[in-house]
Amino acid sequence: MRALVAGIIVVIAGCSSGRMPPADRWHTLAAEGHRMTSTVEGMAWERRMLPVHNGFWADVIRTCAAEPMEAGIESFQAVAVIDGSGIVKEYLINPSAPHLACFSREMVGRQYPAPPSAPFYEVYTISLVRRD
């Protein structure tokens, strides 16, 4: 009986790696990002961040938009993980698709103003289709 219980414990321990599936992590960070940016400090930071973001975003779109558009991707969401000095450490895309990898490569390392807390999560909704 002890061997059976010990075997079950080993199987259960081996199954839980402690790592969250990527989609679950994305949703968790996005929810935290929405919470962070709904605070007074978060809204103030976004007002400082937006001009910086707009200063480089057109180049990111020019560099990265063609491949996903050719693949039929018109929009996606992303979460930036920003450290205490304002550097984008991760740029997680939802849905995860190889055609969108360029956006992560282009965004990681970008500099924003220092956020009110760290890590700070900023959520983006990106449309690749021009709406004139």
Side-chain angles (χ1 to χ4, degrees), residues 28-63:
T28 299
L29 297 183
E32 182 64 6
H34 288 303
R35 186 197 65 74
M36 291 173 134
T37 57
S38 68
T39 66
V40 171
E41 296 84 3
M43 288 185 273
W45 178 80
E46 283 189 318
R47 283 192 298 278
R48 292 190 319 273
M49 175 276 286
L50 197 55
V52 174
H53 178 81
N54 289 342
F56 63 73
W57 186 247
D59 290 336
V60 173
I61 288 289
R62 261 190 302 282
T63 301

Side-chain angles (χ1 to χ4, degrees), residues 9-22:
I9 290 171
V10 169
V11 169
I12 291 171
C15 289
S16 72
S17 67
R19 294 191 86 95
M20 193 179 298

Side-chain angles (χ1 to χ4, degrees), residues 40-118:
V40 171
E41 296 84 3
M43 288 185 273
W45 178 80
E46 283 189 318
R47 283 192 298 278
R48 292 190 319 273
M49 175 276 286
L50 197 55
V52 174
H53 178 81
N54 289 342
F56 63 73
W57 186 247
D59 290 336
V60 173
I61 288 289
R62 261 190 302 282
T63 301
C64 298
E67 183 180 354
M69 290 187 67
E70 288 171 11
I73 299 171
E74 295 183 356
S75 65
F76 65 96
Q77 293 183 305
V79 174
V81 178
I82 303 164
D83 74 7
S85 64
I87 296 173
V88 176
K89 292 297 187 178
E90 288 182 86
Y91 193 76
L92 308 166
I93 295 174
N94 184 36
S96 180
H99 301 296
L100 296 169
C102 176
F103 285 94
S104 290
R105 286 191 305 271
E106 288 294 314
M107 287 298 292
V108 169
R110 296 287 178 164
Q111 177 74 54
Y112 287 125
S117 61

